[in-house]
Short mmCIF file of all heavy atoms in Angstrom, two decimals:
data_model
loop_
_atom_site.label_atom_id
_atom_site.label_comp_id
_atom_site.label_asym_id
_atom_site.label_seq_id
_atom_site.Cartn_x
_atom_site.Cartn_y
_atom_site.Cartn_z
N THR A 16 -118.61 -6.47 130.39
CA THR A 16 -119.26 -7.67 129.91
C THR A 16 -118.42 -8.30 128.77
O THR A 16 -118.31 -9.47 128.68
CB THR A 16 -120.64 -7.32 129.33
OG1 THR A 16 -120.64 -6.43 128.29
CG2 THR A 16 -121.51 -6.87 130.51
N LEU A 17 -117.64 -7.50 128.02
CA LEU A 17 -116.82 -8.03 126.92
C LEU A 17 -115.59 -8.77 127.54
O LEU A 17 -115.29 -9.90 127.18
CB LEU A 17 -116.26 -6.91 125.95
CG LEU A 17 -117.33 -6.43 125.00
CD1 LEU A 17 -116.88 -5.10 124.31
CD2 LEU A 17 -117.72 -7.46 123.92
N LYS A 18 -114.95 -8.11 128.53
CA LYS A 18 -113.76 -8.79 129.20
C LYS A 18 -114.18 -10.00 129.94
O LYS A 18 -113.35 -10.88 129.91
CB LYS A 18 -113.13 -7.68 130.17
CG LYS A 18 -112.35 -6.66 129.49
CD LYS A 18 -111.65 -5.76 130.57
CE LYS A 18 -110.69 -4.82 129.87
NZ LYS A 18 -110.00 -4.01 130.81
N ASN A 19 -115.36 -10.03 130.55
CA ASN A 19 -115.77 -11.19 131.28
C ASN A 19 -116.33 -12.30 130.43
O ASN A 19 -116.65 -13.41 130.88
CB ASN A 19 -116.74 -10.83 132.31
CG ASN A 19 -116.17 -9.89 133.39
OD1 ASN A 19 -115.02 -9.93 133.63
ND2 ASN A 19 -117.04 -9.16 134.09
N GLY A 20 -116.50 -12.04 129.14
CA GLY A 20 -117.07 -13.09 128.22
C GLY A 20 -118.56 -13.23 128.42
O GLY A 20 -119.11 -14.19 127.99
N GLU A 21 -119.19 -12.17 129.03
CA GLU A 21 -120.62 -12.27 129.28
C GLU A 21 -121.46 -11.50 128.27
O GLU A 21 -122.66 -11.55 128.33
CB GLU A 21 -120.86 -11.62 130.66
CG GLU A 21 -120.19 -12.30 131.88
CD GLU A 21 -120.28 -11.60 133.15
OE1 GLU A 21 -120.75 -10.42 133.12
OE2 GLU A 21 -119.82 -12.14 134.20
N TYR A 22 -120.86 -10.88 127.28
CA TYR A 22 -121.59 -10.02 126.34
C TYR A 22 -122.47 -10.94 125.44
O TYR A 22 -121.99 -11.91 124.88
CB TYR A 22 -120.65 -9.17 125.51
CG TYR A 22 -121.38 -8.53 124.38
CD1 TYR A 22 -122.07 -7.32 124.69
CD2 TYR A 22 -121.44 -8.96 123.06
CE1 TYR A 22 -122.77 -6.67 123.67
CE2 TYR A 22 -122.13 -8.29 122.11
CZ TYR A 22 -122.77 -7.15 122.45
OH TYR A 22 -123.50 -6.51 121.40
N ARG A 23 -123.69 -10.58 125.29
CA ARG A 23 -124.57 -11.34 124.38
C ARG A 23 -125.40 -10.16 123.63
O ARG A 23 -125.94 -9.32 124.28
CB ARG A 23 -125.53 -12.22 125.15
CG ARG A 23 -124.94 -13.36 125.96
CD ARG A 23 -124.31 -14.41 125.04
NE ARG A 23 -123.75 -15.40 125.75
CZ ARG A 23 -122.40 -15.49 126.06
NH1 ARG A 23 -121.58 -14.60 125.67
NH2 ARG A 23 -121.94 -16.51 126.70
N SER A 24 -125.39 -10.28 122.31
CA SER A 24 -126.12 -9.31 121.61
C SER A 24 -127.66 -9.54 121.70
O SER A 24 -128.10 -10.67 121.99
CB SER A 24 -125.73 -9.31 120.10
OG SER A 24 -126.09 -10.55 119.58
N LEU A 25 -128.38 -8.54 121.64
CA LEU A 25 -129.86 -8.55 121.74
C LEU A 25 -130.41 -8.72 120.36
O LEU A 25 -129.76 -8.42 119.35
CB LEU A 25 -130.39 -7.38 122.41
CG LEU A 25 -129.95 -7.21 123.86
CD1 LEU A 25 -130.42 -5.81 124.30
CD2 LEU A 25 -130.53 -8.18 124.74
N PRO A 26 -131.59 -9.32 120.14
CA PRO A 26 -132.18 -9.45 118.89
C PRO A 26 -132.37 -8.07 118.23
O PRO A 26 -132.74 -7.11 118.94
CB PRO A 26 -133.62 -10.11 119.19
CG PRO A 26 -133.43 -10.72 120.49
CD PRO A 26 -132.41 -9.89 121.25
N ALA A 27 -132.16 -7.94 116.99
CA ALA A 27 -132.33 -6.69 116.27
C ALA A 27 -133.84 -6.45 116.08
O ALA A 27 -134.61 -7.32 115.95
CB ALA A 27 -131.70 -6.75 114.86
N ARG A 28 -134.21 -5.22 116.09
CA ARG A 28 -135.57 -4.81 115.85
C ARG A 28 -135.82 -4.97 114.38
O ARG A 28 -135.09 -4.53 113.54
CB ARG A 28 -135.82 -3.37 116.28
CG ARG A 28 -137.32 -3.01 116.28
CD ARG A 28 -137.53 -1.66 116.85
NE ARG A 28 -137.36 -0.63 115.83
CZ ARG A 28 -137.03 0.59 116.10
NH1 ARG A 28 -136.75 1.03 117.26
NH2 ARG A 28 -136.97 1.38 115.05
N ARG A 29 -136.87 -5.71 113.99
CA ARG A 29 -137.16 -5.94 112.57
C ARG A 29 -138.11 -4.98 112.08
O ARG A 29 -139.16 -4.66 112.72
CB ARG A 29 -137.66 -7.37 112.42
CG ARG A 29 -136.82 -8.48 112.94
CD ARG A 29 -135.41 -8.50 112.30
NE ARG A 29 -135.51 -8.92 110.91
CZ ARG A 29 -134.49 -8.92 110.08
NH1 ARG A 29 -133.32 -8.55 110.46
NH2 ARG A 29 -134.63 -9.33 108.81
N LYS A 30 -137.90 -4.42 110.92
CA LYS A 30 -138.79 -3.51 110.29
C LYS A 30 -138.80 -3.75 108.79
O LYS A 30 -137.78 -4.29 108.28
CB LYS A 30 -138.27 -2.09 110.55
CG LYS A 30 -139.19 -0.99 110.45
CD LYS A 30 -140.09 -0.95 111.62
CE LYS A 30 -140.77 0.47 111.57
NZ LYS A 30 -141.97 0.42 112.29
N GLU A 31 -139.89 -3.56 108.13
CA GLU A 31 -139.87 -3.70 106.71
C GLU A 31 -140.06 -2.30 105.98
O GLU A 31 -140.90 -1.50 106.51
CB GLU A 31 -141.02 -4.61 106.19
CG GLU A 31 -140.74 -6.10 106.62
CD GLU A 31 -141.60 -7.11 105.91
OE1 GLU A 31 -142.62 -6.59 105.20
OE2 GLU A 31 -141.34 -8.23 105.87
N ILE A 32 -139.22 -2.10 105.04
CA ILE A 32 -139.31 -0.73 104.34
C ILE A 32 -139.66 -0.99 102.84
O ILE A 32 -139.33 -2.01 102.34
CB ILE A 32 -138.03 0.05 104.48
CG1 ILE A 32 -136.77 -0.72 103.89
CG2 ILE A 32 -137.78 0.39 105.86
CD1 ILE A 32 -135.56 0.04 103.86
N PRO A 33 -140.46 -0.11 102.30
CA PRO A 33 -140.87 -0.30 100.94
C PRO A 33 -139.75 -0.12 99.95
O PRO A 33 -138.89 0.82 100.15
CB PRO A 33 -141.97 0.68 100.73
CG PRO A 33 -141.77 1.70 101.77
CD PRO A 33 -141.01 1.06 102.91
N LYS A 34 -139.74 -0.92 98.90
CA LYS A 34 -138.79 -0.72 97.81
C LYS A 34 -139.52 -0.02 96.63
O LYS A 34 -140.76 0.16 96.66
CB LYS A 34 -138.28 -2.13 97.28
CG LYS A 34 -137.44 -2.79 98.28
CD LYS A 34 -136.96 -4.22 98.01
CE LYS A 34 -136.74 -4.52 96.61
NZ LYS A 34 -136.22 -5.88 96.41
N ALA A 35 -138.76 0.46 95.69
CA ALA A 35 -139.28 1.14 94.59
C ALA A 35 -140.27 0.42 93.72
O ALA A 35 -141.21 0.86 93.18
CB ALA A 35 -138.12 1.70 93.67
N ASP A 36 -140.03 -1.02 93.72
CA ASP A 36 -140.88 -1.83 92.90
C ASP A 36 -142.17 -2.27 93.64
O ASP A 36 -142.91 -3.08 93.16
CB ASP A 36 -140.16 -3.04 92.39
CG ASP A 36 -139.64 -3.95 93.54
OD1 ASP A 36 -139.96 -3.66 94.69
OD2 ASP A 36 -138.94 -4.92 93.27
N GLY A 37 -142.37 -1.69 94.74
CA GLY A 37 -143.57 -2.00 95.52
C GLY A 37 -143.40 -3.12 96.62
O GLY A 37 -144.26 -3.28 97.54
N LYS A 38 -142.36 -3.91 96.49
CA LYS A 38 -142.11 -5.02 97.43
C LYS A 38 -141.52 -4.33 98.73
O LYS A 38 -141.19 -3.22 98.80
CB LYS A 38 -141.10 -5.98 96.85
CG LYS A 38 -141.60 -6.72 95.66
CD LYS A 38 -140.63 -7.70 95.11
CE LYS A 38 -141.08 -8.42 93.92
NZ LYS A 38 -140.21 -9.39 93.35
N MET A 39 -141.44 -5.23 99.72
CA MET A 39 -140.84 -4.75 101.02
C MET A 39 -139.56 -5.33 101.24
O MET A 39 -139.33 -6.51 100.86
CB MET A 39 -141.79 -5.12 102.15
CG MET A 39 -143.23 -4.49 102.10
SD MET A 39 -143.19 -2.72 102.11
CE MET A 39 -143.27 -2.50 103.89
N ARG A 40 -138.68 -4.67 101.92
CA ARG A 40 -137.34 -5.15 102.16
C ARG A 40 -137.13 -5.22 103.75
O ARG A 40 -137.42 -4.24 104.38
CB ARG A 40 -136.21 -4.18 101.61
CG ARG A 40 -134.81 -4.65 101.91
CD ARG A 40 -133.80 -3.73 101.07
NE ARG A 40 -133.63 -2.51 101.75
CZ ARG A 40 -132.72 -2.25 102.77
NH1 ARG A 40 -131.99 -3.22 103.21
NH2 ARG A 40 -132.61 -1.08 103.23
N PRO A 41 -136.68 -6.40 104.26
CA PRO A 41 -136.52 -6.42 105.70
C PRO A 41 -135.30 -5.69 106.11
O PRO A 41 -134.30 -5.63 105.37
CB PRO A 41 -136.34 -7.99 105.94
CG PRO A 41 -135.87 -8.50 104.59
CD PRO A 41 -136.38 -7.58 103.56
N LEU A 42 -135.37 -5.03 107.26
CA LEU A 42 -134.34 -4.27 107.87
C LEU A 42 -134.16 -4.69 109.26
O LEU A 42 -135.18 -4.70 110.05
CB LEU A 42 -134.70 -2.83 107.72
CG LEU A 42 -133.71 -1.81 108.24
CD1 LEU A 42 -132.40 -1.78 107.44
CD2 LEU A 42 -134.29 -0.37 108.16
N GLY A 43 -132.95 -4.93 109.70
CA GLY A 43 -132.66 -5.28 111.07
C GLY A 43 -131.99 -4.04 111.72
O GLY A 43 -130.92 -3.60 111.21
N ILE A 44 -132.49 -3.58 112.88
CA ILE A 44 -131.93 -2.39 113.53
C ILE A 44 -131.37 -2.88 114.84
O ILE A 44 -132.13 -3.19 115.75
CB ILE A 44 -132.99 -1.28 113.70
CG1 ILE A 44 -133.61 -0.98 112.34
CG2 ILE A 44 -132.42 -0.05 114.39
CD1 ILE A 44 -134.95 -0.20 112.51
N PRO A 45 -130.03 -2.85 115.03
CA PRO A 45 -129.44 -3.33 116.29
C PRO A 45 -129.59 -2.28 117.40
O PRO A 45 -129.82 -1.10 117.11
CB PRO A 45 -127.88 -3.41 115.94
CG PRO A 45 -127.73 -2.48 114.79
CD PRO A 45 -129.02 -2.47 114.02
N THR A 46 -129.52 -2.70 118.59
CA THR A 46 -129.62 -1.81 119.76
C THR A 46 -128.34 -0.93 119.73
O THR A 46 -127.36 -1.18 119.10
CB THR A 46 -129.63 -2.58 121.06
OG1 THR A 46 -128.49 -3.21 121.25
CG2 THR A 46 -130.84 -3.53 121.14
N ILE A 47 -128.42 0.26 120.47
CA ILE A 47 -127.29 1.17 120.56
C ILE A 47 -126.09 0.43 121.14
O ILE A 47 -125.00 0.58 120.60
CB ILE A 47 -127.59 2.32 121.45
CG1 ILE A 47 -128.80 3.12 120.81
CG2 ILE A 47 -126.36 3.23 121.70
CD1 ILE A 47 -128.48 3.81 119.51
N ARG A 48 -126.28 -0.38 122.14
CA ARG A 48 -125.17 -1.16 122.78
C ARG A 48 -124.51 -2.08 121.79
O ARG A 48 -123.32 -2.10 121.70
CB ARG A 48 -125.73 -1.95 123.93
CG ARG A 48 -124.66 -2.74 124.70
CD ARG A 48 -125.28 -3.48 125.81
NE ARG A 48 -126.01 -4.68 125.20
CZ ARG A 48 -125.93 -5.91 125.53
NH1 ARG A 48 -125.19 -6.25 126.57
NH2 ARG A 48 -126.57 -6.88 124.97
N ASP A 49 -125.33 -2.81 120.98
CA ASP A 49 -124.78 -3.70 120.00
C ASP A 49 -124.05 -2.97 118.87
O ASP A 49 -123.01 -3.41 118.44
CB ASP A 49 -125.84 -4.63 119.39
CG ASP A 49 -126.40 -5.60 120.49
OD1 ASP A 49 -125.68 -5.84 121.43
OD2 ASP A 49 -127.49 -6.16 120.19
N ARG A 50 -124.57 -1.82 118.49
CA ARG A 50 -123.94 -1.00 117.44
C ARG A 50 -122.61 -0.43 117.95
O ARG A 50 -121.60 -0.41 117.23
CB ARG A 50 -124.81 0.20 117.06
CG ARG A 50 -124.37 0.93 115.85
CD ARG A 50 -124.44 0.04 114.60
NE ARG A 50 -123.92 0.83 113.54
CZ ARG A 50 -122.97 0.43 112.64
NH1 ARG A 50 -122.49 -0.77 112.82
NH2 ARG A 50 -122.57 1.20 111.72
N VAL A 51 -122.48 -0.03 119.21
CA VAL A 51 -121.24 0.43 119.83
C VAL A 51 -120.24 -0.66 119.78
O VAL A 51 -119.06 -0.51 119.38
CB VAL A 51 -121.43 0.95 121.27
CG1 VAL A 51 -120.11 1.10 121.96
CG2 VAL A 51 -122.24 2.26 121.25
N VAL A 52 -120.62 -1.88 120.21
CA VAL A 52 -119.65 -3.11 120.13
C VAL A 52 -119.29 -3.32 118.69
O VAL A 52 -118.09 -3.63 118.41
CB VAL A 52 -120.32 -4.23 120.80
CG1 VAL A 52 -119.50 -5.52 120.60
CG2 VAL A 52 -120.55 -4.01 122.28
N GLN A 53 -120.16 -3.29 117.71
CA GLN A 53 -119.85 -3.54 116.29
C GLN A 53 -118.83 -2.56 115.84
O GLN A 53 -117.85 -3.01 115.16
CB GLN A 53 -121.13 -3.48 115.45
CG GLN A 53 -122.11 -4.59 115.63
CD GLN A 53 -123.46 -4.32 114.88
OE1 GLN A 53 -123.56 -3.27 114.16
NE2 GLN A 53 -124.33 -5.15 115.10
N ILE A 54 -119.00 -1.29 116.14
CA ILE A 54 -118.05 -0.28 115.60
C ILE A 54 -116.67 -0.51 116.31
O ILE A 54 -115.63 -0.37 115.67
CB ILE A 54 -118.62 1.11 115.87
CG1 ILE A 54 -119.83 1.41 115.05
CG2 ILE A 54 -117.51 2.19 115.76
CD1 ILE A 54 -120.59 2.67 115.42
N ALA A 55 -116.73 -0.79 117.67
CA ALA A 55 -115.40 -0.97 118.33
C ALA A 55 -114.65 -2.21 117.72
O ALA A 55 -113.44 -2.14 117.54
CB ALA A 55 -115.68 -1.18 119.87
N MET A 56 -115.36 -3.26 117.50
CA MET A 56 -114.74 -4.42 116.91
C MET A 56 -114.20 -4.13 115.54
O MET A 56 -113.13 -4.59 115.10
CB MET A 56 -115.73 -5.60 116.83
CG MET A 56 -116.22 -6.13 118.16
SD MET A 56 -114.76 -6.71 119.19
CE MET A 56 -114.14 -8.06 118.17
N LYS A 57 -114.92 -3.36 114.74
CA LYS A 57 -114.48 -2.96 113.42
C LYS A 57 -113.18 -2.19 113.51
O LYS A 57 -112.23 -2.48 112.74
CB LYS A 57 -115.55 -2.14 112.76
CG LYS A 57 -115.17 -1.69 111.30
CD LYS A 57 -116.31 -0.77 110.76
CE LYS A 57 -116.05 -0.30 109.39
NZ LYS A 57 -115.17 0.92 109.32
N MET A 58 -113.07 -1.26 114.50
CA MET A 58 -111.85 -0.51 114.66
C MET A 58 -110.72 -1.37 115.02
O MET A 58 -109.55 -1.13 114.55
CB MET A 58 -112.15 0.62 115.70
CG MET A 58 -113.08 1.69 115.26
SD MET A 58 -113.66 2.78 116.60
CE MET A 58 -112.08 3.51 117.07
#
Side-chain angles (χ1 to χ4, degrees):
T16 60
L17 286 167
K18 281 184 175 182
N19 293 338
E21 299 169 353
Y22 176 78
R23 299 291 180 263
S24 62
L25 296 171
R28 191 172 86 205
R29 304 300 292 174
K30 202 75 168 157
E31 288 196 352
I32 57 174
K34 292 174 34 176
D36 63 4
K38 295 181 182 178
M39 299 297 273
R40 182 174 77 86
L42 179 67
I44 305 167
T46 64
I47 297 294
R48 181 184 72 133
D49 291 341
R50 188 69 181 128
V51 167
V52 171
Q53 290 170 5
I54 292 169
M56 293 303 296
K57 178 180 181 278
M58 291 169 62

